[in-house]
């Protein structure tokens, strides 16, 4: 369905007054943002509007929910336009709370395969990263392209409930055997909620079941805002090795 059809569908659906008002504010915010948003990023505004309205109309039809990402995109765009942020920011914050209560919960973390229906959204997640985090890990689109030509690439989308929140890719070489956490990211709106730690624990459980698995390796760029403390908190320790300017860490998997 087009955005116009979805707008009409929401207006014809009997929604609670607070929710209906929030939807109208979302539609107005998207309309106001398109002319002032960078032209090469306007598709994000349409994505945000479309996925939010679509999932509100029929949430159970969609196994993947993108509306939390969509609302973040709109709210982040509004921050660059103070007058629009004053006009629409509070309403979108209230709409987020309404949708979270109506469509959630979004807390149980899982690792899911990426499909033709979700791949563009997974790539979009890493586009939301800002400096310096966007220098710590390659874009998801780049990682997925690499995986096409790497026989040992094992990758999954990280979900919280029904919403994608990040991406993980493992170098899964059972012949050596060696297991390396190759790529890992949690998108900005979903950070500091425990999703990253839960995802790494799920990955560790997967690796423990692989042939000859004795350790899980990872590397990080040494930066004051880098992920070193995050990995240390999960039990990883530095090996003393540095490869391609990245510090190597390991997690002992032996009982």
């Amino acid at each position: 369905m087009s955005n116009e059809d979805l707008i009409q569908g929401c207006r014809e659906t009997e929604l609670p007054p607070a929710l209906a008002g929030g939807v109208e504010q979302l539609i107005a915010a998207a309309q106001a943002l398109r002319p002032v948003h960078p032209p090469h990023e306007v598709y994000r505004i349409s994505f945000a509007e479309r996925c939010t309205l679509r999932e509100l109309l029929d949430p159970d039809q969609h196994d993947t929910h993108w509306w939390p990402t969509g609302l973040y995109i709109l709210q982040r765009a509004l921050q660059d336009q103070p007058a629009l942020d004053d006009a629409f920011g509070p309403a979108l914050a209230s709409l987020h709370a309404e949708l979270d209560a109506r469509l959630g919960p979004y807390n149980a973390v899982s690792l899911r395969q990426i499909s033709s229906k979700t791949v563009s959204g997974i790539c979009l997640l890493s586009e939301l990263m800002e400096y310096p985090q966007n220098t710590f890990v390659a874009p998801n689109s780049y990682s997925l392209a690499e995986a096409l030509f790497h026989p040992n690439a094992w990758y999954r989308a990280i979900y919280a409930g029904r919403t994608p929140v990040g991406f993980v890719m493992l170098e899964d070489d059972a012949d050596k055997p060696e297991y390396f956490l190759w790529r890992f990211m949690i998108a900005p709106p979903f950070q500091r909620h425990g999703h990253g730690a839960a995802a790494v624990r799920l990955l560790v459980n997967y690796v423990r079941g692989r042939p000859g698995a004795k350790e899980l390796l990872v590397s990080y760029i040494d930066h004051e805002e880098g992920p070193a403390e995050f990995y240390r908190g999960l039990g990883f320790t530095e090996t003393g090795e540095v490869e391609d300017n990245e510090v190597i860490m390991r997690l002992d998997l032996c009982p």
Side-chain angles (χ1 to χ4, degrees):
M1 295 178 67
S2 67
N3 285 33
E4 292 74 18
D5 290 337
L6 290 167
I7 290 170
Q8 187 63 29
C10 284
R11 287 172 173 167
E12 292 174 353
T13 301
E14 291 188 11
L15 298 172
L19 188 56
V23 168
E24 289 298 331
Q25 289 294 293
L26 178 144
I27 295 166
Q31 184 176 8
L33 282 167
R34 285 188 180 95
V36 298
H37 206 57
H40 65 285
E41 295 180 356
V42 168
Y43 75 93
R44 296 184 187 178
I45 304 300
S46 294
F47 168 89
E49 181 182 58
R50 181 171 62 256
C51 66
T52 304
L53 299 180
R54 181 186 62 206
E55 291 153 20
L56 174 60
L57 277 175
D58 196 351
D60 293 332
Q61 182 181 344
H62 305 284
D63 188 50
T64 297
H65 284 184
W66 293 102
W67 72 261
T69 301
L71 282 188
Y72 174 82
I73 289 170
L74 294 176
Q75 290 170 312
R76 182 64 187 84
L78 287 172
Q79 291 174 12
D80 294 330
Q81 306 291 333
L84 294 181
D85 196 23
D86 289 342
F88 298 111
L92 291 193
S94 296
L95 179 61
H96 192 290
E98 290 274 350
L99 292 176
D100 194 58
R102 185 181 181 92
L103 306 181
Y106 296 95
N107 46 23
V109 174
S110 60
L111 305 180
R112 298 193 195 179
Q113 292 188 5
I114 298 171
S115 71
S116 59
K117 293 182 179 180
T118 61
V119 64
S120 59
I122 298 303
C123 292
L124 176 59
L125 288 181
S126 61
E127 293 180 22
L128 305 181
M129 304 287 277
E130 298 182 359
Y131 184 85
Q133 289 187 339
N134 59 4
T135 67
F136 298 154
V137 63
N140 294 343
S141 56
Y142 184 91
S143 296
L144 289 167
E146 278 190 308
L148 288 174
F149 303 97
H150 198 294
N152 298 318
W154 181 95
Y155 55 88
R156 294 291 187 271
I158 302 168
Y159 276 65
R162 285 192 281 184
T163 196
V165 300
F167 174 80
V168 61
M169 187 160 80
L170 176 75
E171 185 174 5
D172 186 352
D173 192 344
D175 293 332
K176 287 188 178 180
E178 184 174 283
Y179 305 95
F180 197 101
L181 177 48
W182 189 359
R183 299 280 159 69
F184 180 75
M185 62 79 64
I186 300 292
F190 309 109
Q191 294 176 7
R192 302 188 183 280
H193 295 287
H195 301 327
V200 172
R201 293 188 188 104
L202 290 174
L203 181 70
V204 168
N205 288 339
Y206 168 78
V207 174
R208 287 186 192 276
R210 300 296 291 145
K214 296 181 179 178
E215 63 182 8
L216 175 61
L217 300 173
V218 70
S219 65
Y220 68 89
I221 295 174
D222 190 9
H223 186 280
E224 62 181 3
E225 296 185 41
E229 286 302 320
F230 169 78
Y231 288 123
R232 290 184 191 121
L234 291 169
F236 287 84
T237 57
E238 282 83 354
T239 66
E241 303 171 83
V242 177
E243 184 174 327
D244 295 331
N245 295 318
E246 295 194 12
V247 180
I248 308 297
M249 303 181 84
R250 70 182 293 274
L251 178 69
D252 187 0
L253 301 179
C254 295

